[in-house]
Amino acid sequence: MTPHEPHAGAASEPATPDQPATQPVVAYQERLSVAWWMWLVILFVGAATFIALAPINMAVGIIAAVVVMVFIGLILYLGSPRIVVTDHDVRVGRAHIERRFVGEAEALRGDAARVARGPELDGRAFMNFRVSVPDMCRIQIVDPVDPTPYWLTATRHPEELARAINADRGTDAP
């Protein structure tokens, strides 16, 4: 399983004296890492670093290129948001909300995703867009005191995410 594939049905572990008996069961998880071509950009930045420093000292050029590539790669990987749906809450990046305040989720692909990101977008919505991930999932928020009408998040698997969110509601999104 790659970091981009949904993870379903992780069983909770048995309770121990220092942890509660009800561990959240993960229904879906995904990391929205950058597109494959961004790793080529990192490689080119490393090559440019090497070319800039190699005339001064070959060893310094190699070391600096490797350090720059690893540093940028770590920043991009660790900075990529995760989507996690459990039986207790929904998390998108740093945002999280209890499942009881989550309404229906709708998978959006192609033109529907473009329209949701553009003309139909509500400025009060929580937005998690990624340039390299065109598909979206709109998650309704039903908390009466929260002014956010919905979350709109990029996802590589909108149908699976919508299915995981709608599972407790007894509905399925296309």
Side-chain angles (χ1 to χ4, degrees), residues 101-125:
F101 297 123
V102 175
E104 185 176 350
E106 173 187 9
L108 304 168
R109 287 191 181 270
D111 207 37
R114 184 194 59 78
V115 170
R117 274 191 308 267
E120 290 182 357
L121 184 64
D122 187 330
R124 300 171 300 157

Side-chain angles (χ1 to χ4, degrees), residues 2 27-28 39 45 58 63 94 141 148-149 163:
T2 67
Y28 178 90
W39 300 108
V45 168
M58 188 69 75
I63 292 169
R94 292 185 197 171
I141 305 300
T148 306
R163 199 171 302 120

